[in-house]
Coordinates of all heavy atoms in Angstrom, one line a residue:
M222 N 5.1 133.8 30.7 CA 5.6 133.7 31.9 C 6.8 132.9 32.1 O 6.7 131.8 31.6 CB 4.4 133.3 33.1 CG 5.0 133.4 34.5 SD 3.7 133.4 35.6 CE 3.4 131.6 36.0
L223 N 7.8 133.2 32.7 CA 9.0 132.4 32.8 C 8.9 131.5 34.0 O 8.4 131.9 35.1 CB 10.2 133.3 33.0 CG 10.7 134.1 31.9 CD1 11.7 135.1 32.3 CD2 11.0 133.3 30.8
S224 N 9.2 130.3 34.0 CA 9.3 129.4 35.0 C 10.5 129.6 35.9 O 11.5 130.3 35.4 CB 9.3 127.9 34.6 OG 10.6 127.7 34.1
P225 N 10.5 129.3 37.2 CA 11.7 129.5 38.0 C 13.0 129.0 37.4 O 14.0 129.6 37.7 CB 11.3 128.8 39.4 CG 9.9 128.8 39.4 CD 9.5 128.7 37.9
M226 N 12.9 127.9 36.7 CA 14.1 127.4 36.0 C 14.7 128.2 34.9 O 15.8 128.1 34.6 CB 13.9 126.0 35.5 CG 13.6 125.0 36.8 SD 13.5 123.3 36.2 CE 15.3 123.0 35.9
T227 N 13.9 129.1 34.4 CA 14.2 130.0 33.2 C 14.7 131.4 33.6 O 15.1 132.0 32.7 CB 13.3 129.9 32.1 OG1 12.1 130.5 32.5 CG2 13.3 128.5 31.5
T228 N 14.4 131.7 34.8 CA 14.8 133.1 35.2 C 16.2 133.2 35.4 O 16.8 132.2 35.7 CB 13.9 133.6 36.5 OG1 14.3 132.7 37.5 CG2 12.5 133.5 36.4
T229 N 16.7 134.3 35.2 CA 18.1 134.6 35.4 C 18.3 135.5 36.4 O 17.7 136.6 36.8 CB 18.8 135.3 34.2 OG1 18.0 136.5 33.8 CG2 18.7 134.2 32.9
T230 N 19.3 135.2 37.5 CA 19.6 136.1 38.6 C 21.1 136.4 38.3 O 21.8 135.6 38.0 CB 19.5 135.3 39.9 OG1 18.1 134.8 40.0 CG2 19.9 136.2 41.0
P231 N 21.5 137.7 38.4 CA 22.9 138.0 38.2 C 23.7 137.2 39.2 O 23.4 137.1 40.3 CB 22.9 139.6 38.5 CG 21.5 140.0 38.4 CD 20.6 138.8 38.7
S232 N 24.8 136.7 38.7 CA 25.7 136.0 39.5 C 26.5 136.9 40.4 O 26.9 138.0 40.0 CB 26.6 135.1 38.8 OG 27.4 135.9 37.9
N233 N 26.7 136.4 41.5 CA 27.7 137.4 42.5 C 29.1 137.2 42.1 O 29.6 136.2 41.7 CB 27.4 136.9 43.9 CG 26.1 137.3 44.5 OD1 25.6 138.3 44.0 ND2 25.7 136.9 45.6
R234 N 29.8 138.3 42.3 CA 31.1 138.3 41.9 C 31.9 139.1 43.0 O 31.1 139.9 43.7 CB 31.4 139.0 40.5 CG 30.9 140.4 40.5 CD 31.1 140.9 39.1 NE 30.8 142.3 39.0 CZ 29.7 142.8 38.2 NH1 29.1 141.8 37.6 NH2 29.4 143.9 38.2
P235 N 33.1 139.1 43.2 CA 33.7 139.9 44.3 C 33.5 141.5 44.1 O 33.4 141.9 43.0 CB 35.3 139.6 44.1 CG 35.3 138.4 43.4 CD 34.1 138.2 42.4
C236 N 33.4 142.2 45.1 CA 33.1 143.6 45.2 C 34.4 144.2 44.6 O 35.5 143.8 45.1 CB 32.9 144.0 46.6 SG 32.7 145.9 46.7
T237 N 34.2 145.1 43.7 CA 35.4 145.8 43.0 C 36.3 146.5 44.1 O 37.5 146.4 43.8 CB 34.9 146.7 42.1 OG1 34.1 146.1 41.0 CG2 36.0 147.4 41.4
C238 N 35.8 146.8 45.1 CA 36.7 147.8 46.1 C 37.7 146.8 46.8 O 38.8 147.3 47.0 CB 35.8 148.4 47.1 SG 35.4 147.3 48.6
G239 N 37.5 145.6 46.9 CA 38.5 144.6 47.4 C 39.7 144.3 46.5 O 40.6 143.6 46.9
S240 N 39.7 144.8 45.2 CA 40.7 144.6 44.2 C 41.8 145.7 44.3 O 42.9 145.6 43.6 CB 40.3 144.5 42.9 OG 39.8 145.5 42.4
Y241 N 41.6 146.7 45.1 CA 42.6 147.9 45.3 C 43.1 147.9 46.6 O 42.6 147.6 47.6 CB 41.7 149.1 45.1 CG 41.2 149.5 43.7 CD1 39.8 149.0 43.5 CD2 41.7 150.1 42.8 CE1 39.3 149.3 42.2 CE2 41.3 150.3 41.6 CZ 40.0 149.9 41.2 OH 39.5 150.1 40.1
S242 N 44.5 148.3 46.6 CA 45.3 148.4 47.8 C 46.4 149.3 47.5 O 46.6 149.8 46.3 CB 45.7 147.0 48.2 OG 46.6 146.5 47.3
Y243 N 47.2 149.5 48.6 CA 48.4 150.3 48.5 C 49.4 149.9 49.5 O 49.0 149.2 50.5 CB 48.3 151.9 48.4 CG 47.8 152.5 49.7 CD1 48.6 152.9 50.6 CD2 46.4 152.6 49.9 CE1 48.1 153.7 51.8 CE2 45.8 153.3 51.0 CZ 46.9 153.7 51.9 OH 46.3 154.4 53.0
L244 N 50.7 150.1 49.4 CA 51.7 149.7 50.3 C 52.3 150.9 51.1 O 52.5 152.0 50.4 CB 52.9 149.0 49.6 CG 52.4 147.6 48.9 CD1 53.6 147.0 48.1 CD2 51.9 146.6 49.9
V245 N 52.5 150.7 52.4 CA 53.1 151.8 53.2 C 54.3 151.2 53.8 O 54.3 150.2 54.3 CB 52.1 152.2 54.4 CG1 52.8 153.2 55.2 CG2 50.7 152.8 53.7
L246 N 55.4 151.9 53.7 CA 56.7 151.5 54.2 C 56.5 151.8 55.9 O 56.3 152.9 56.3 CB 57.9 152.5 53.8 CG 59.2 152.1 54.2 CD1 59.7 150.8 53.9 CD2 60.2 153.1 53.6
V247 N 56.7 150.8 56.6 CA 56.7 150.8 58.1 C 58.0 150.7 58.7 O 58.2 151.0 59.8 CB 55.7 149.8 58.6 CG1 54.3 150.0 58.2 CG2 56.0 148.3 58.4
H248 N 59.1 150.2 58.0 CA 60.4 150.0 58.5 C 61.5 150.0 57.6 O 61.2 149.2 56.6 CB 60.4 148.9 59.6 CG 61.7 148.7 60.2 ND1 62.3 149.5 61.0 CD2 62.7 147.7 59.8 CE1 63.5 149.1 61.5 NE2 63.6 148.0 60.7
E249 N 62.5 150.7 57.7 CA 63.6 150.6 56.8 C 64.9 150.2 57.7 O 65.2 151.0 58.5 CB 63.9 151.7 55.9 CG 64.9 151.6 54.9 CD 64.9 152.6 53.8 OE1 64.1 153.4 53.8 OE2 65.8 152.6 53.0
G250 N 65.5 149.1 57.5 CA 66.6 148.7 58.3 C 67.9 149.3 57.8 O 67.9 149.9 56.7
A251 N 68.9 149.2 58.6 CA 70.2 149.7 58.3 C 70.8 149.2 57.1 O 71.5 149.8 56.5 CB 71.1 149.5 59.6
K252 N 70.4 147.9 56.7 CA 71.0 147.2 55.5 C 70.1 147.5 54.5 O 70.4 146.9 53.4 CB 71.2 145.8 55.9 CG 72.2 145.5 57.1 CD 72.3 144.0 57.2 CE 73.2 143.7 58.4 NZ 73.3 142.3 58.6
G253 N 69.1 148.4 54.4 CA 68.4 148.6 53.3 C 67.2 147.7 53.2 O 66.4 147.9 52.2
D254 N 67.0 146.8 54.1 CA 65.8 146.0 54.0 C 64.7 146.8 54.3 O 64.7 147.8 55.2 CB 65.9 144.7 54.9 CG 66.2 145.1 56.3 OD1 67.0 145.9 56.5 OD2 65.6 144.3 57.2
K255 N 63.5 146.5 53.7 CA 62.2 147.4 53.9 C 61.1 146.4 54.3 O 61.0 145.4 53.8 CB 61.9 148.1 52.7 CG 63.0 149.2 52.4 CD 62.6 149.9 51.0 CE 63.7 150.9 50.9 NZ 63.5 151.7 49.6
V256 N 60.2 146.9 55.2 CA 59.1 146.3 55.5 C 57.9 147.0 55.4 O 57.8 148.3 55.6 CB 59.0 145.9 57.1 CG1 57.7 145.3 57.5 CG2 60.2 145.1 57.6
W257 N 56.9 146.5 54.4 CA 55.8 147.2 53.8 C 54.6 146.5 54.4 O 54.4 145.4 54.8 CB 55.7 147.0 52.3 CG 57.0 147.6 51.6 CD1 58.1 146.9 51.4 CD2 57.0 148.9 51.1 NE1 59.0 147.8 50.7 CE2 58.3 148.9 50.6 CE3 56.2 150.1 51.1 CZ2 58.8 150.1 49.9 CZ3 56.7 151.1 50.4 CH2 58.0 151.2 49.9
Q258 N 53.6 147.5 54.5 CA 52.2 147.0 55.1 C 51.2 147.3 54.0 O 51.2 148.4 53.5 CB 51.8 147.6 56.4 CG 50.6 147.2 56.9 CD 50.3 147.7 58.3 OE1 50.2 149.2 58.4 NE2 49.9 147.0 59.3
R259 N 50.4 146.3 53.6 CA 49.3 146.6 52.7 C 48.2 147.2 53.3 O 47.6 146.7 54.4 CB 49.0 145.2 52.0 CG 47.9 145.4 50.9 CD 47.7 144.1 50.2 NE 48.8 143.6 49.5 CZ 49.4 144.2 48.4 NH1 48.7 145.2 47.8 NH2 50.4 143.7 47.8
R260 N 47.6 148.2 52.7 CA 46.4 148.8 53.1 C 45.2 148.7 52.0 O 45.6 148.7 50.8 CB 46.5 150.4 53.3 CG 47.7 150.8 54.3 CD 47.1 150.8 55.8 NE 48.3 150.8 56.6 CZ 48.7 151.9 57.1 NH1 48.4 153.1 56.8 NH2 49.6 151.9 58.1
D261 N 44.2 148.2 52.5 CA 43.1 147.9 51.6 C 41.7 148.2 52.3 O 41.8 148.7 53.4 CB 43.2 146.5 51.0 CG 43.1 145.4 52.1 OD1 42.5 145.6 53.2 OD2 43.8 144.3 52.0
T262 N 40.6 147.9 51.6 CA 39.3 148.2 52.1 C 38.9 147.1 53.1 O 37.8 147.2 53.8 CB 38.2 148.4 51.0 OG1 38.2 147.2 50.3 CG2 38.6 149.4 50.1
G263 N 39.6 146.0 53.0 CA 39.1 144.8 54.0 C 37.9 144.1 53.5 O 37.4 143.3 54.1
C264 N 37.6 144.3 52.2 CA 36.3 143.8 51.6 C 36.7 142.5 51.1 O 37.6 142.2 50.3 CB 35.8 144.7 50.6 SG 34.3 144.1 49.8
A265 N 35.7 141.5 51.5 CA 35.7 140.2 50.8 C 34.3 139.9 50.5 O 33.9 138.7 50.2 CB 36.2 139.2 51.8
D266 N 33.4 140.9 50.4 CA 32.0 140.7 49.9 C 31.8 140.3 48.5 O 32.7 140.6 47.6 CB 31.2 141.9 50.2 CG 31.0 142.2 51.6 OD1 31.5 141.4 52.5 OD2 30.4 143.4 51.9
T267 N 30.8 139.7 48.2 CA 30.4 139.5 46.7 C 29.0 140.4 46.5 O 28.4 140.6 47.5 CB 30.1 138.0 46.5 OG1 29.1 137.5 47.3 CG2 31.3 137.2 46.6
T268 N 28.9 140.6 45.1 CA 27.7 141.4 44.8 C 27.4 141.1 43.4 O 28.3 140.7 42.7 CB 28.0 142.9 45.1 OG1 26.8 143.6 44.7 CG2 29.2 143.3 44.3
H269 N 26.3 141.4 43.0 CA 25.7 141.4 41.5 C 26.1 142.7 40.9 O 25.8 142.7 39.7 CB 24.3 140.8 41.4 CG 23.4 141.7 42.0 ND1 23.0 141.8 43.3 CD2 22.5 142.7 41.3 CE1 22.0 142.7 43.5 NE2 21.9 143.3 42.4
R270 N 26.4 143.6 41.7 CA 26.9 145.0 41.2 C 28.4 145.2 41.0 O 29.1 144.2 41.4 CB 26.1 146.2 42.0 CG 24.7 146.0 42.1 CD 24.2 147.0 43.0 NE 22.9 146.9 43.3 CZ 22.0 147.7 44.0 NH1 22.7 148.7 44.6 NH2 20.9 147.4 44.3
T271 N 28.7 146.4 40.7 CA 30.2 146.6 40.7 C 30.6 146.7 42.1 O 31.8 146.2 42.5 CB 30.4 147.9 40.1 OG1 29.9 148.0 38.7 CG2 32.0 148.4 39.9
F272 N 29.9 147.4 43.0 CA 30.2 147.5 44.4 C 29.1 147.0 45.3 O 27.9 147.3 45.0 CB 30.4 149.0 44.8 CG 31.6 149.6 44.1 CD1 31.4 150.4 42.9 CD2 33.0 149.5 44.5 CE1 32.5 151.1 42.2 CE2 34.0 150.0 44.0 CZ 33.8 150.8 42.7
A273 N 29.5 146.4 46.4 CA 28.5 146.1 47.5 C 28.0 147.4 48.1 O 28.7 148.5 47.9 CB 29.2 145.3 48.5
A274 N 26.8 147.4 48.6 CA 26.3 148.6 49.2 C 27.3 149.4 50.0 O 27.8 148.9 51.0 CB 25.0 148.3 49.9
G275 N 27.5 150.7 49.7 CA 28.3 151.5 50.4 C 29.9 151.4 50.2 O 30.7 152.1 50.7
H276 N 30.3 150.3 49.4 CA 31.6 150.1 49.2 C 32.3 151.0 48.2 O 33.5 151.1 48.2 CB 31.8 148.7 48.8 CG 31.7 147.7 50.0 ND1 32.4 146.6 50.1 CD2 30.7 147.8 50.9 CE1 31.9 146.1 51.3 NE2 30.9 146.7 51.8
D277 N 31.5 151.7 47.5 CA 32.1 152.9 46.5 C 32.8 153.9 47.5 O 33.9 154.4 47.3 CB 31.3 153.4 45.6 CG 29.9 154.0 46.2 OD1 29.5 153.5 47.3 OD2 29.4 155.0 45.7
S278 N 32.2 154.1 48.6 CA 32.7 155.0 49.7 C 34.0 154.5 50.4 O 34.9 155.3 50.7 CB 31.6 155.5 50.7 OG 30.6 156.2 50.2
K279 N 33.8 153.2 50.5 CA 35.2 152.5 51.1 C 36.3 152.8 50.2 O 37.5 153.2 50.7 CB 34.9 151.1 51.4 CG 34.1 150.7 52.5 CD 33.9 149.2 52.6 CE 34.5 148.8 54.0 NZ 34.4 147.3 54.2
L280 N 36.1 152.7 48.9 CA 37.1 152.9 47.9 C 37.7 154.4 47.8 O 38.6 154.6 47.8 CB 36.7 152.3 46.6 CG 37.9 152.3 45.4 CD1 39.2 151.8 45.9 CD2 37.4 151.7 44.2
K281 N 36.6 155.2 47.8 CA 37.0 156.6 47.8 C 37.9 156.9 49.0 O 39.0 157.7 48.8 CB 35.8 157.5 47.9 CG 34.8 157.4 46.4 CD 33.7 158.2 46.6 CE 32.7 157.8 45.5 NZ 31.3 158.3 45.8
S282 N 37.6 156.4 50.1 CA 38.4 156.7 51.3 C 39.7 156.1 51.2 O 40.8 156.7 51.6 CB 37.7 156.1 52.6 OG 36.5 156.7 52.9
L283 N 39.9 155.0 50.7 CA 41.2 154.4 50.5 C 42.0 155.2 49.4 O 43.1 155.5 49.6 CB 41.0 153.0 49.8 CG 42.4 152.2 49.6 CD1 42.8 151.7 51.0 CD2 42.1 151.1 48.6
L284 N 41.4 155.6 48.3 CA 42.1 156.5 47.4 C 42.5 157.8 48.0 O 43.6 158.3 47.8 CB 41.1 156.8 46.2 CG 40.7 155.6 45.3 CD1 39.7 156.1 44.4 CD2 41.9 155.0 44.7
I285 N 41.7 158.5 48.8 CA 42.2 159.6 49.5 C 43.3 159.5 50.5 O 44.3 160.1 50.4 CB 40.8 160.3 50.3 CG1 39.9 160.7 49.2 CG2 41.3 161.4 51.3 CD1 38.5 161.2 49.9
A286 N 43.2 158.4 51.2 CA 44.3 158.1 52.2 C 45.6 157.9 51.3 O 46.7 158.3 51.7 CB 44.0 156.9 53.2
A287 N 45.6 157.1 50.3 CA 46.7 156.8 49.3 C 47.2 158.2 48.9 O 48.5 158.4 48.7 CB 46.4 155.7 48.3
G288 N 46.3 159.0 48.4 CA 46.7 160.3 47.9 C 47.4 161.1 48.8 O 48.4 161.8 48.5
I289 N 46.9 161.2 50.1 CA 47.4 162.1 51.0 C 48.9 161.6 51.3 O 49.8 162.5 51.5 CB 46.6 162.0 52.2 CG1 45.3 162.7 52.1 CG2 47.4 162.7 53.5 CD1 44.2 162.4 53.2
G290 N 49.1 160.3 51.4 CA 50.5 159.9 51.6 C 51.3 159.7 50.3 O 52.5 159.2 50.4
G291 N 50.8 160.0 49.2 CA 51.5 159.9 48.0 C 51.9 158.4 47.4 O 52.9 158.2 46.9
H292 N 51.0 157.6 47.8 CA 51.2 156.1 47.5 C 50.5 155.6 46.3 O 49.4 156.3 45.9 CB 50.7 155.2 48.6 CG 51.2 155.5 49.9 ND1 52.6 155.3 50.3 CD2 50.7 156.2 51.0 CE1 52.7 155.7 51.6 NE2 51.6 156.2 52.0
Q293 N 51.1 154.9 45.5 CA 50.5 154.4 44.3 C 49.4 153.3 44.7 O 49.6 152.5 45.6 CB 51.6 153.6 43.4 CG 52.6 154.5 42.8 CD 52.0 155.2 41.4 OE1 51.6 154.4 40.6 NE2 52.0 156.4 41.4
I294 N 48.3 153.3 44.1 CA 47.2 152.2 44.2 C 47.6 151.2 43.3 O 47.9 151.4 42.1 CB 45.9 153.0 43.8 CG1 45.5 154.0 44.9 CG2 44.8 151.9 43.7 CD1 45.1 153.6 46.1
Q295 N 47.4 150.0 43.9 CA 47.5 148.9 43.0 C 46.1 148.1 42.9 O 45.4 148.1 43.8 CB 48.5 147.8 43.8 CG 49.9 148.3 43.9 CD 50.7 147.3 44.7 OE1 50.2 146.5 45.4 NE2 52.1 147.6 44.6
Q296 N 45.7 147.7 41.7 CA 44.6 147.0 41.5 C 44.9 145.6 40.9 O 45.7 145.5 39.9 CB 43.6 147.6 40.4 CG 42.3 146.9 40.2 CD 41.5 147.4 39.1 OE1 41.9 148.4 38.4 NE2 40.2 147.2 39.2
V297 N 44.4 144.6 41.5 CA 44.6 143.2 41.1 C 43.5 142.7 40.3 O 42.3 142.7 40.8 CB 45.0 142.3 42.3 CG1 45.2 140.8 42.0 CG2 46.0 142.9 43.1
S298 N 43.8 142.2 39.1 CA 42.7 141.6 38.3 C 43.2 140.3 37.8 O 44.1 140.3 36.9 CB 42.3 142.5 37.1 OG 41.4 142.0 36.3
G299 N 42.8 139.2 38.4 CA 43.5 137.8 38.1 C 45.0 137.8 38.4 O 45.4 138.1 39.5
D300 N 45.8 137.6 37.5 CA 47.2 137.6 37.7 C 47.9 138.9 37.3 O 49.2 139.0 37.4 CB 48.0 136.5 36.7 CG 47.5 135.1 37.3 OD1 47.2 134.9 38.3 OD2 47.6 134.2 36.3
V301 N 47.2 139.9 37.0 CA 47.8 141.3 36.5 C 47.5 142.4 37.7 O 46.4 142.4 38.2 CB 46.9 141.7 35.4 CG1 47.5 143.0 34.9 CG2 47.2 140.7 34.2
V302 N 48.6 142.9 37.9 CA 48.6 144.0 38.9 C 49.0 145.3 38.3 O 49.8 145.4 37.6 CB 49.6 143.7 40.1 CG1 49.6 144.9 41.0 CG2 49.4 142.5 40.9
T303 N 48.1 146.3 38.4 CA 48.2 147.6 37.7 C 48.4 148.7 38.9 O 47.7 148.5 39.9 CB 47.1 148.0 36.9 OG1 46.7 146.9 36.0 CG2 47.2 149.2 36.2
A304 N 49.4 149.5 38.7 CA 49.7 150.5 39.7 C 49.5 151.9 39.0 O 49.9 152.1 38.0 CB 51.2 150.4 40.2
K305 N 48.8 152.8 39.7 CA 48.4 154.1 39.2 C 48.4 155.0 40.5 O 48.1 154.6 41.6 CB 47.0 154.1 38.6 CG 46.9 153.4 37.3 CD 45.6 153.6 36.6 CE 45.4 152.8 35.5 NZ 44.1 153.0 34.9
D306 N 48.5 156.3 40.2 CA 48.4 157.3 41.1 C 46.8 157.4 41.5 O 45.9 157.0 40.7 CB 48.6 158.7 40.3 CG 48.4 159.8 41.2 OD1 49.2 160.1 42.0 OD2 47.2 160.5 41.0
A307 N 46.7 157.7 42.8 CA 45.3 157.7 43.3 C 44.2 158.6 42.4 O 43.2 158.1 42.3 CB 45.3 158.1 44.9
L308 N 44.7 159.7 42.2 CA 43.8 160.6 41.3 C 43.5 160.1 39.9 O 42.5 160.2 39.3 CB 44.4 161.9 41.2 CG 44.3 162.8 42.3 CD1 45.0 164.1 42.0 CD2 42.8 163.1 42.6
R309 N 44.5 159.3 39.4 CA 44.3 158.6 38.1 C 43.2 157.4 38.2 O 42.2 157.4 37.5 CB 45.5 158.0 37.5 CG 45.5 157.3 36.1 CD 45.1 158.4 35.1 NE 43.8 158.3 34.6 CZ 43.1 159.2 34.0 NH1 43.6 160.2 33.7 NH2 41.8 158.9 33.6
V310 N 43.3 156.8 39.3 CA 42.2 155.8 39.5 C 40.8 156.3 39.8 O 39.9 155.9 39.2 CB 42.7 154.8 40.7 CG1 41.4 153.9 41.1 CG2 43.9 154.1 40.5
A311 N 40.9 157.5 40.5 CA 39.7 158.2 40.8 C 39.0 158.7 39.5 O 37.8 158.6 39.2 CB 39.9 159.3 41.7
A312 N 39.9 159.3 38.6 CA 39.3 159.9 37.3 C 38.9 158.6 36.5 O 37.8 158.9 35.9 CB 40.5 160.4 36.6
D313 N 39.4 157.5 36.4 CA 38.9 156.4 35.7 C 37.6 156.0 36.3 O 36.7 155.4 35.5 CB 39.8 155.2 35.9 CG 41.3 155.4 35.1 OD1 41.3 156.4 34.3 OD2 42.1 154.6 35.4
L314 N 37.4 156.1 37.5 CA 36.0 155.7 38.2 C 35.0 157.0 38.2 O 33.9 156.8 38.6 CB 36.3 155.3 39.6 CG 37.0 154.0 39.8 CD1 37.5 153.7 41.1 CD2 36.3 152.7 39.2
G315 N 35.4 158.1 37.7 CA 34.5 159.3 37.7 C 34.4 160.0 39.1 O 33.5 160.8 39.2
W316 N 35.5 159.9 39.8 CA 35.4 160.5 41.2 C 36.5 161.5 41.4 O 36.9 161.8 42.5 CB 35.5 159.4 42.2 CG 34.7 158.3 42.2 CD1 33.3 158.3 41.8 CD2 34.8 157.1 42.8 NE1 32.7 157.1 41.8 CE2 33.6 156.3 42.6 CE3 35.9 156.3 43.4 CZ2 33.3 155.0 42.9 CZ3 35.6 155.0 43.8 CH2 34.5 154.4 43.6
E317 N 37.1 162.0 40.3 CA 38.4 162.7 40.4 C 38.2 163.9 41.2 O 39.0 164.2 42.2 CB 38.9 163.2 39.1 CG 40.3 163.8 39.2 CD 40.9 164.2 37.9 OE1 40.2 163.9 36.8 OE2 42.1 164.6 37.8
D318 N 37.3 164.7 41.3 CA 37.0 166.0 42.0 C 36.8 165.7 43.4 O 37.4 166.2 44.3 CB 35.7 166.7 41.4 CG 35.9 167.4 40.1 OD1 37.2 167.5 39.6 OD2 34.9 167.7 39.5
I319 N 36.0 164.6 43.8 CA 35.8 164.2 45.0 C 37.0 163.8 45.8 O 37.3 164.3 46.9 CB 34.7 163.1 45.2 CG1 33.4 163.6 44.7 CG2 34.6 162.5 46.5 CD1 32.3 162.5 44.6
V320 N 37.8 163.0 45.1 CA 39.0 162.4 45.6 C 40.1 163.5 45.8 O 40.8 163.7 46.8 CB 39.6 161.3 44.9 CG1 40.9 160.9 45.4 CG2 38.6 160.0 45.1
R321 N 40.2 164.4 44.8 CA 41.1 165.6 44.9 C 40.8 166.5 46.0 O 41.7 166.8 46.7 CB 41.1 166.3 43.5 CG 42.0 167.6 43.5 CD 41.8 168.4 42.3 NE 41.7 167.7 41.0 CZ 42.8 167.2 40.3 NH1 44.0 167.3 40.8 NH2 42.7 166.6 39.2
E322 N 39.5 166.7 46.3 CA 39.2 167.6 47.5 C 39.6 166.9 48.7 O 39.8 167.6 49.7 CB 37.6 167.9 47.4 CG 37.3 168.8 46.2 CD 35.8 169.0 46.1 OE1 35.0 168.5 46.9 OE2 35.3 169.7 44.9
G323 N 39.2 165.6 48.8 CA 39.6 164.9 50.0 C 40.9 164.9 50.3 O 41.5 165.0 51.5
I324 N 41.9 164.7 49.3 CA 43.3 164.7 49.4 C 43.8 166.1 49.9 O 44.5 166.3 50.8 CB 44.1 164.3 48.2 CG1 43.7 162.9 47.9 CG2 45.5 164.6 48.2 CD1 44.3 162.4 46.3
A325 N 43.2 167.1 49.3 CA 43.6 168.5 49.6 C 43.2 168.7 51.1 O 44.0 169.4 52.0 CB 43.0 169.5 48.8
R326 N 42.0 168.4 51.5 CA 41.6 168.6 53.0 C 42.6 167.8 53.9 O 42.9 168.2 54.9 CB 40.2 168.1 53.3 CG 39.0 169.2 52.7 CD 37.7 168.8 53.4 NE 37.3 167.4 52.9 CZ 36.7 167.1 51.8 NH1 36.4 168.1 50.9 NH2 36.4 165.9 51.5
G327 N 42.8 166.5 53.6 CA 43.7 165.7 54.3 C 45.2 166.3 54.5 O 45.8 166.0 55.5
R328 N 45.5 167.0 53.4 CA 46.9 167.7 53.5 C 46.9 169.1 54.2 O 47.9 169.6 54.3 CB 47.5 167.8 52.2 CG 47.9 166.4 51.6 CD 48.5 166.5 50.2 NE 48.9 165.3 49.7 CZ 49.1 165.1 48.4 NH1 49.1 166.1 47.4 NH2 49.6 163.9 48.0
G329 N 45.7 169.4 54.5 CA 45.5 170.7 55.1 C 45.5 171.8 54.2 O 45.7 173.0 54.6
N330 N 45.2 171.4 52.9 CA 45.2 172.5 51.9 C 43.6 172.9 51.7 O 42.8 171.9 51.7 CB 45.9 172.1 50.6 CG 47.3 171.9 50.8 OD1 48.0 172.4 51.6 ND2 47.8 170.8 50.1
R331 N 43.5 173.9 50.9 CA 42.1 174.2 50.5 C 41.9 173.4 49.1 O 42.9 173.5 48.3 CB 41.9 175.7 50.3 CG 41.8 176.3 51.6 CD 41.5 177.8 51.4 NE 40.4 178.1 50.7 CZ 39.6 179.1 50.7 NH1 40.1 180.2 51.3 NH2 38.5 179.3 49.8
P332 N 40.8 172.9 48.9 CA 40.6 172.2 47.6 C 40.5 173.1 46.4 O 40.3 174.3 46.6 CB 39.1 171.5 47.7 CG 38.7 171.7 49.1 CD 39.7 172.8 49.7

């Protein structure tokens, strides 16, 4: 039997959904200056899993919204930012069909 001091508990880490976002152009000035707004899941939770409970759905919704708008998804990991198409991110996560259908519905197309 393990004593309480020798048991291991998975350490909490940031929920993965919080590392994804995209930018939306909200204003373009006459001089070419642009104002962008970051859209993300709003997640600051920690978990011992990849996603906090229900946060895979939050990320799917974010991917669908980005896909509908044609925005690149950015994933931040430490000092590295990776930008990909929403469907590519979804495919990497095993959700390509779900996200593709959501994007099609959002654009008023049949999946």
